[in-house]
Amino acid sequence: EIEELLRPMAEECCTHRPFCHLLLNAYMRVLFSKMIRAVLDTGNVDRRTLLSERIKEYIDRNYTEPLTVATLSDLCFYNTAYVGRTFHKRYGITMKKYIRDKRMQYAHELLREGELSVEEVACRVGYSNRTRFYHCFREAFGISPGEMRKRYRAP
């Protein structure tokens, strides 16, 4: 099955026809989901545990990108509610909160380093909306990003 997907993908890469990037993206999603399902079908391993671990690994590598529960569910071709419940059951936290916490940890590190403006930090950690970033940061740390930066600059 994997080989059957790879052949048309390779052909599509060589032709550069209109909308080839959309077709390649769709092939990659199918390939990714088949690979996950193949791993999930291996013997004694609990499918839900493995699914949750794979999603967590994906989040850990891509949390600065636009991620939602829906996009993550689409990537592995599972129902959004099922993926959300499975992740929460495994880790005791919602995927949305896990993504936000990862972003806030990284934002904290960037603010401590002090090289980027608060707006640049917001963009770097995956927020296109500055107001949303400020709200999430204050909710996570109890102070604004600017106040956090001042704490690290103070002697």
Side-chain angles (χ1 to χ4, degrees), residues 10-45:
E11 290 172 12
E12 201 62 41
C13 285
C14 296
T15 62
H16 298 293
R17 289 183 278 190
F19 305 105
C20 66
H21 65 286
L22 294 174
L23 193 55
L24 284 170
N25 190 354
Y27 276 124
M28 286 301 293
R29 287 173 179 238
V30 171
L31 182 63
F32 181 70
S33 67
K34 288 192 177 286
M35 288 170 50
I36 286 178
R37 287 188 175 172
V39 170
L40 293 176
D41 288 338
T42 57
N44 303 343
V45 179

Side-chain angles (χ1 to χ4, degrees), residues 96-154:
K96 184 177 178 179
K97 182 160 176 20
Y98 183 77
I99 293 166
R100 192 195 72 190
D101 289 351
K102 292 290 290 182
R103 288 175 172 170
M104 291 300 108
Q105 289 170 1
Y106 187 41
H108 184 266
E109 290 174 30
L110 292 174
L111 288 168
R112 188 174 57 220
E113 291 171 6
E115 295 174 17
L116 301 173
S117 71
V118 174
E119 287 76 19
E120 289 171 319
V121 169
C123 287
R124 182 80 52 100
V125 300
Y127 285 91
S128 57
N129 181 318
R130 186 178 76 171
T131 305
R132 183 75 186 134
F133 171 72
Y134 275 76
H135 174 77
C136 290
F137 194 92
R138 185 176 290 281
E139 192 174 282
F141 298 105
I143 60 174
S144 73
E147 292 171 307
M148 178 71 73
R149 168 160 283 151
K150 286 178 189 173
R151 285 187 179 182
Y152 287 112
R153 287 188 178 165

